[in-house]
């Protein structure tokens, strides 16, 4: 059955009737003056070969099993109303050509680009944004976070005509925060039907997109290939010229990084991330590097970092005791991991995420490795008896252990060091490696004791509701991996969501971080303020290599919220020379510190 919003907007579309009139004296803004960050030398063509560690469980971007690494290839191939310039951080046109701020400090108005099209040729209209609101509020998508956000944070979308709309936030906000809240992506009304079987019906659907690429060829369990739309509507937009240059993106599933690296050295994969110290320091002395066929770059960026570390599930009886959680934090020798196997390349994280300026409480320090303090806390919690192998137990015979679920095989050696050190404090870490997509599903289903993982940094300000609010505790498919339900946190998070003044909001953010630290539900790991990558010489970069907000130099899609991706291109002439093997080049190792933040 159609909802009232569907019936109303369809009636308006047929008869050309507007539901409202635009306010008088709106100041329409746009931005085509900021520096161009793509290269005019870029050339279209070629195939970009990359890899995935696991095949996704769905092509949906919301609902069960959708929050995987592959999801970004779809989400960041959807343009929103605007993007943020990756160096000035000002809004730039995307689906909208112009925008205006309402006097109520809650509403932004937008003029859509009449040329904007879905990948199936259908026009993008204001009705697709109305439908996005309806879809994200619907229970059939089985996505509680989206249901809540599009009810409490986005409270209204108004259509004025096919190409004019407004979006209203749930509370007054500064202009900066409005830009962080209302930059929505549409949903194709002509494609989706909100039926009870929506999750199953669209699990493998190739939904229309507004970006430059569409899913083309799929070999289930083996590979996914995207193709470039030659007539993409955004080809001539100011900030999208000379971007998204490759004709095809081929993602092959290679579950083992060592095997993937062998594929890279053979030229079957075009670029390879070398963030891992052992890869950067130990595996780049091969003929391909010495002959200059493969280049290396160490590029410092200036981006927020999502939380990386241990997420403790307080629903587990042993972890319900804060003394046990604090003891575990003191039993984790993160610094030894950083100094040895990570070779000092990474930096210790102290809080739940970094890089958000005043929103981060820099006075908080992660609990240091302290065997005596750990044992004292364990004893207070009743674990005061020595068991087999030196592991502590309580009077009931319960052994002090912590099962750690993780998804990256290369992290085994890191966690093994932590396990060795934890035993000195009487704690047994049990390492549980699970395949990527399946492992994250285990975490989302809250079947872990401790989850070792990192989140991507996103947005202009830290996000807390999805991670810590009690409404997401005890619920599958939410990001509250801690299962934390704390009245003080709830109150702070609710204040944080409605506070308009940025200084006051930053103060509440610091209070939230302090409370998270007190609860000891998150044990901070490390942060990496750069990207390090190897790439075959025929993969070309702009003269400036990347932008301030580039998390990767070889991300083929748009990026979010900053527009950073799709800057590289394939030089087919040079590729033929390289593949012929008849030339050697000078080896290239670049270290770019343009955006390095000295406080790191």
């Amino acid at each position: 059955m159609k909802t009232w919003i569907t019936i109303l907007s369809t009636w308006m579309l047929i008869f050309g009737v507007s539901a409202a009139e635009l306010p008088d004296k709106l100041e329409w803004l746009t931005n085509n003056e900021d520096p161009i960050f793509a290269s005019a030398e870029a050339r279209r063509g070629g195939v970009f070969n990359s890899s995935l560690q696991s095949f996704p469980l769905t092509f949906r971007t919301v609902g069960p099993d959708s929050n995987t690494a592959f999801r970004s290839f779809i989400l960041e191939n959807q343009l929103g109303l605007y993007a943020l310039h990756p160096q000035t951080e000002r809004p730039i046109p995307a689906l909208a050509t112009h925008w205006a701020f309402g006097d109520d400090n809650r509403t932004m108005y937008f003029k859509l680009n009449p040329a904007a099209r879905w990948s199936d040729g259908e026009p993008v209209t204001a009705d697709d944004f109305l439908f996005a609101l309806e879809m994200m509020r619907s229970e059939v998508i089985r996505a509680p976070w989206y249901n809540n956000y599009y009810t409490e944070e986005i409270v209204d979308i108004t259509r004025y005509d096919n190409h004019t709309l407004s979006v209203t936030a749930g509370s007054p906000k500064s202009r900066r925060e409005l830009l962080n809240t209302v930059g929505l992506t549409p949903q194709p009304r002509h494609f989706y039907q909100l039926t009870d079987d929506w999750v199953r019906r669209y699990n493998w659907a190739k939904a229309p997109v507004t970006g430059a690429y569409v899913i083309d060829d799929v070999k289930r369990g083996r590979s996914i290939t995207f193709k470039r739309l030659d007539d993409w509507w955004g080809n001539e937009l100011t900030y999208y010229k000379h971007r998204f240059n490759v004709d095809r993106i081929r993602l092959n599933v290679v579950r083992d990084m060592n095997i993937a690296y062998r594929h890279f050295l053979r030229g079957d994969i075009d670029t390879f991330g070398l963030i891992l110290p052992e890869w950067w320091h130990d595996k780049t002395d091969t003929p391909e590097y010495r002959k200059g066929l493969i280049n290396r770059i160490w590029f410092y960026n200036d981006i927020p970092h999502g939380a990386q570390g241990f997420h403790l599930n307080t629903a587990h009886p042993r972890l319900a005791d804060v003394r046990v959680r604090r003891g575990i934090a003191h039993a984790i020798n993160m610094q030894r991991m950083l100094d040895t196997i990570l070779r000092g390349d990474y930096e210790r994280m102290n809080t739940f995420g970094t890089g958000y300026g005043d929103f981060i409480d820099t006075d908080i320090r992660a609990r240091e490795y302290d065997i005596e303090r750990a044992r004292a806390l364990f004893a207070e919690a009743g674990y005061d008896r020595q068991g087999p192998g030196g592991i502590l137990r309580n009077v009931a015979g319960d052994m002090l252990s912590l099962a750690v679920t993780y998804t990256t095989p290369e992290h085994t050696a890191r966690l093994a060091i932590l396990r060795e050190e934890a035993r000195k404090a009487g704690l047994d870490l049990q390492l549980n490696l699970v395949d990527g997509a399946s492992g994250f599903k285990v975490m989302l289903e809250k079947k872990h004791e401790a989850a070792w993982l990192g989140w991507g940094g996103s947005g202009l300000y830290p996000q807390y509701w999805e991670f810590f609010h009690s409404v997401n505790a005890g619920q599958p498919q939410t990001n509250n991996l801690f299962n934390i339900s704390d009245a003080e946190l709830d109150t702070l998070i609710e204040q944080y969501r409605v506070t308009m003044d940025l200084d006051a909001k930053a103060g509440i953010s610091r209070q939230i971080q302090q409370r998270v630290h007190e609860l000891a539900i998150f044990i901070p790991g490390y942060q990496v303020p750069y990207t390090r990558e190897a790439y075959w010489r025929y993969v070309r970069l702009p003269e400036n290599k990347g932008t301030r907000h580039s998390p990767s130099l070889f991300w083929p899609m748009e990026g979010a919220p900053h527009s950073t991706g799709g800057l590289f291109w394939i030089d087919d002439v040079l590729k033929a020379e390289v593949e012929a093997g008849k030339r050697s080049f000078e080896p290239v190792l670049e270290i770019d510190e343009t955006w390095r933040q000295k406080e790191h």
Side-chain angles (χ1 to χ4, degrees), residues 438-473:
S438 300
F440 195 60
K441 180 181 176 69
V442 168
M443 299 173 190
L444 289 177
E445 297 292 336
K446 317 299 167 60
K447 297 177 180 177
H448 62 285
E449 292 183 22
W452 168 262
L453 80 157
W455 302 93
S458 62
L460 302 178
Y461 309 108
Q463 301 299 312
Y464 296 119
W465 185 88
E466 62 190 282
F467 296 109
F468 301 116
H469 198 283
S470 61
V471 73
N472 295 314

Coordinates of all heavy atoms in Angstrom, one line a residue, residues 438-473:
S438 N 32.0 -12.0 7.5 CA 31.4 -12.9 8.5 C 31.8 -12.4 9.9 O 31.0 -12.4 10.8 CB 31.8 -14.3 8.3 OG 31.4 -14.8 7.0
G439 N 33.0 -11.9 10.0 CA 33.5 -11.5 11.3 C 32.8 -10.2 11.8 O 32.4 -10.1 13.0
F440 N 32.6 -9.3 10.9 CA 31.8 -8.1 11.2 C 30.4 -8.4 11.5 O 29.8 -7.8 12.4 CB 32.0 -7.0 10.1 CG 31.6 -5.7 10.5 CD1 32.2 -5.0 11.6 CD2 30.5 -5.0 9.9 CE1 31.9 -3.7 12.0 CE2 30.1 -3.7 10.3 CZ 30.8 -3.1 11.3
K441 N 29.8 -9.4 10.9 CA 28.5 -9.8 11.2 C 28.4 -10.3 12.6 O 27.4 -10.0 13.3 CB 28.0 -10.9 10.2 CG 26.6 -11.4 10.4 CD 26.3 -12.5 9.4 CE 24.9 -13.1 9.6 NZ 23.8 -12.2 9.4
V442 N 29.4 -11.1 13.0 CA 29.5 -11.6 14.4 C 29.4 -10.4 15.4 O 28.7 -10.4 16.4 CB 30.7 -12.4 14.6 CG1 30.9 -12.7 16.1 CG2 30.6 -13.8 13.9
M443 N 30.2 -9.4 15.1 CA 30.3 -8.2 15.9 C 28.9 -7.5 16.0 O 28.4 -7.1 17.0 CB 31.4 -7.3 15.5 CG 32.8 -7.9 15.5 SD 34.0 -6.7 14.7 CE 35.4 -7.8 14.6
L444 N 28.3 -7.3 14.8 CA 27.0 -6.6 14.8 C 25.9 -7.3 15.5 O 25.0 -6.8 16.0 CB 26.6 -6.3 13.3 CG 27.5 -5.2 12.6 CD1 27.0 -5.1 11.1 CD2 27.4 -3.9 13.2
E445 N 26.1 -8.7 15.4 CA 25.1 -9.5 16.1 C 25.4 -9.6 17.6 O 24.7 -10.3 18.4 CB 25.1 -10.9 15.5 CG 24.6 -11.0 14.0 CD 23.2 -10.6 13.9 OE1 22.4 -10.8 14.8 OE2 22.8 -10.1 12.8
K446 N 26.5 -8.9 18.1 CA 26.9 -8.8 19.5 C 27.2 -10.2 20.1 O 27.0 -10.5 21.2 CB 25.7 -8.2 20.3 CG 25.1 -6.9 19.7 CD 26.1 -5.8 19.4 CE 25.6 -4.7 18.5 NZ 24.4 -4.0 19.0
K447 N 27.8 -11.0 19.2 CA 28.2 -12.4 19.7 C 29.7 -12.4 20.1 O 30.2 -13.5 20.3 CB 27.9 -13.4 18.6 CG 26.5 -13.5 18.2 CD 26.2 -14.5 17.1 CE 24.7 -14.6 16.7 NZ 24.5 -15.5 15.6
H448 N 30.3 -11.3 20.2 CA 31.7 -11.2 20.6 C 31.9 -10.9 22.1 O 30.9 -10.5 22.7 CB 32.4 -10.1 19.8 CG 31.9 -8.7 20.1 ND1 30.6 -8.3 19.6 CD2 32.3 -7.7 20.9 CE1 30.4 -7.1 20.0 NE2 31.4 -6.7 20.8
E449 N 33.0 -11.2 22.6 CA 33.4 -10.6 23.9 C 34.1 -9.3 23.8 O 33.8 -8.3 24.3 CB 34.2 -11.6 24.7 CG 33.5 -12.9 25.1 CD 34.3 -13.8 26.0 OE1 35.3 -13.4 26.6 OE2 34.0 -15.1 26.0
A450 N 35.2 -9.4 23.0 CA 35.9 -8.1 22.6 C 36.1 -8.1 21.1 O 36.5 -9.1 20.5 CB 37.3 -8.1 23.3
A451 N 35.8 -7.0 20.5 CA 36.0 -6.8 19.1 C 37.2 -5.9 18.8 O 37.2 -4.8 19.4 CB 34.7 -6.2 18.4
W452 N 38.1 -6.4 18.1 CA 39.3 -5.6 17.7 C 39.1 -5.1 16.3 O 39.1 -5.9 15.3 CB 40.6 -6.5 17.8 CG 41.8 -5.9 17.2 CD1 42.3 -6.1 15.9 CD2 42.7 -4.9 17.8 NE1 43.5 -5.4 15.7 CE2 43.7 -4.7 16.9 CE3 42.7 -4.3 19.0 CZ2 44.8 -3.8 17.1 CZ3 43.7 -3.4 19.3 CH2 44.8 -3.1 18.4
L453 N 38.8 -3.8 16.2 CA 38.6 -3.3 14.8 C 38.8 -1.8 14.9 O 38.9 -1.1 16.0 CB 37.2 -3.6 14.4 CG 36.0 -2.7 14.9 CD1 34.8 -2.8 13.9 CD2 35.6 -3.2 16.3
G454 N 38.8 -1.1 13.7 CA 38.8 0.3 13.6 C 37.7 0.8 12.7 O 37.3 0.2 11.7
W455 N 37.2 2.0 13.1 CA 36.2 2.6 12.3 C 36.8 3.7 11.4 O 37.8 4.4 11.8 CB 35.1 3.3 13.2 CG 34.4 2.3 14.1 CD1 34.8 2.0 15.4 CD2 33.3 1.5 13.8 NE1 33.9 1.1 15.9 CE2 33.0 0.7 15.0 CE3 32.5 1.3 12.7 CZ2 31.9 -0.1 15.0 CZ3 31.4 0.5 12.7 CH2 31.1 -0.3 13.9
G456 N 36.2 4.0 10.3 CA 36.7 5.1 9.5 C 36.3 6.4 10.1 O 35.2 6.5 10.7
G457 N 37.1 7.4 10.0 CA 36.7 8.8 10.5 C 35.8 9.4 9.5 O 36.0 9.3 8.3
S458 N 34.7 10.0 9.9 CA 33.8 10.6 9.0 C 33.1 11.8 9.6 O 33.0 11.9 10.8 CB 32.7 9.6 8.5 OG 32.0 9.1 9.7
G459 N 32.5 12.6 8.8 CA 31.8 13.8 9.2 C 32.7 14.9 9.7 O 34.0 14.7 9.8
L460 N 32.1 16.0 10.1 CA 32.9 17.1 10.6 C 33.0 17.1 12.1 O 33.8 17.8 12.7 CB 32.2 18.5 10.2 CG 32.0 18.6 8.7 CD1 31.3 19.9 8.4 CD2 33.3 18.6 8.0
Y461 N 32.2 16.3 12.8 CA 32.2 16.2 14.2 C 32.1 14.7 14.6 O 31.5 13.9 13.8 CB 31.0 17.0 14.8 CG 31.0 18.4 14.3 CD1 30.0 18.8 13.4 CD2 31.9 19.3 14.7 CE1 29.9 20.1 13.0 CE2 31.9 20.6 14.2 CZ 30.9 21.0 13.4 OH 30.9 22.3 12.9
P462 N 32.5 14.3 15.8 CA 32.4 12.9 16.2 C 30.9 12.5 16.3 O 30.0 13.3 16.6 CB 33.0 12.9 17.6 CG 33.8 14.2 17.7 CD 33.2 15.2 16.8
Q463 N 30.6 11.3 16.0 CA 29.3 10.7 16.2 C 29.3 9.8 17.4 O 30.2 8.9 17.5 CB 28.9 9.9 14.9 CG 29.0 10.8 13.6 CD 28.0 11.9 13.7 OE1 26.8 11.8 14.0 NE2 28.4 13.1 13.3
Y464 N 28.3 9.9 18.2 CA 28.2 9.1 19.4 C 26.9 8.3 19.6 O 27.0 7.2 20.2 CB 28.3 10.1 20.7 CG 29.6 10.8 20.7 CD1 29.7 12.2 20.7 CD2 30.8 10.1 20.9 CE1 30.9 12.8 20.8 CE2 32.0 10.7 21.0 CZ 32.1 12.1 20.9 OH 33.3 12.8 21.0
W465 N 25.8 8.8 19.0 CA 24.5 8.1 19.3 C 24.6 6.6 18.8 O 24.1 5.8 19.5 CB 23.4 8.8 18.5 CG 22.1 8.3 18.8 CD1 21.2 8.7 19.8 CD2 21.4 7.3 18.0 NE1 20.1 7.9 19.7 CE2 20.1 7.1 18.6 CE3 21.7 6.6 16.9 CZ2 19.2 6.2 18.1 CZ3 20.8 5.6 16.4 CH2 19.6 5.5 17.0
E466 N 25.1 6.4 17.6 CA 25.1 5.0 17.1 C 26.0 4.1 17.9 O 25.8 2.9 18.0 CB 25.6 5.0 15.7 CG 27.0 5.5 15.4 CD 27.3 5.7 14.0 OE1 27.5 4.7 13.3 OE2 27.3 6.9 13.5
F467 N 27.0 4.6 18.5 CA 28.0 3.8 19.3 C 27.6 3.6 20.7 O 28.0 2.5 21.3 CB 29.4 4.4 19.2 CG 30.0 4.4 17.8 CD1 30.1 5.7 17.1 CD2 30.3 3.3 17.1 CE1 30.6 5.7 15.9 CE2 30.9 3.4 15.8 CZ 31.0 4.6 15.2
F468 N 27.0 4.6 21.4 CA 26.9 4.5 22.8 C 25.5 4.7 23.4 O 25.3 4.5 24.6 CB 27.8 5.6 23.4 CG 29.2 5.5 23.1 CD1 29.9 6.5 22.3 CD2 30.0 4.4 23.5 CE1 31.2 6.4 22.0 CE2 31.3 4.3 23.2 CZ 31.9 5.3 22.4
H469 N 24.5 5.1 22.6 CA 23.2 5.3 23.2 C 22.5 4.0 23.5 O 22.6 3.0 22.7 CB 22.3 6.2 22.2 CG 21.1 6.8 22.9 ND1 20.0 6.0 23.3 CD2 20.9 8.0 23.4 CE1 19.1 6.8 23.9 NE2 19.7 8.0 24.0
S470 N 21.8 3.9 24.6 CA 21.2 2.7 25.1 C 20.2 2.1 24.1 O 19.9 0.9 24.2 CB 20.6 2.9 26.5 OG 19.6 3.9 26.4
V471 N 19.6 3.0 23.3 CA 18.6 2.5 22.4 C 19.2 1.5 21.4 O 18.5 0.6 20.8 CB 17.9 3.6 21.6 CG1 18.8 4.2 20.6 CG2 16.6 3.2 20.9
N472 N 20.5 1.5 21.2 CA 21.2 0.6 20.3 C 21.8 -0.6 21.1 O 22.5 -1.4 20.4 CB 22.3 1.4 19.5 CG 21.6 2.4 18.6 OD1 20.7 2.1 17.9 ND2 22.2 3.6 18.6
A473 N 21.7 -0.6 22.4 CA 22.2 -1.7 23.1 C 21.3 -2.9 23.1 O 20.1 -2.8 23.0 CB 22.4 -1.3 24.6

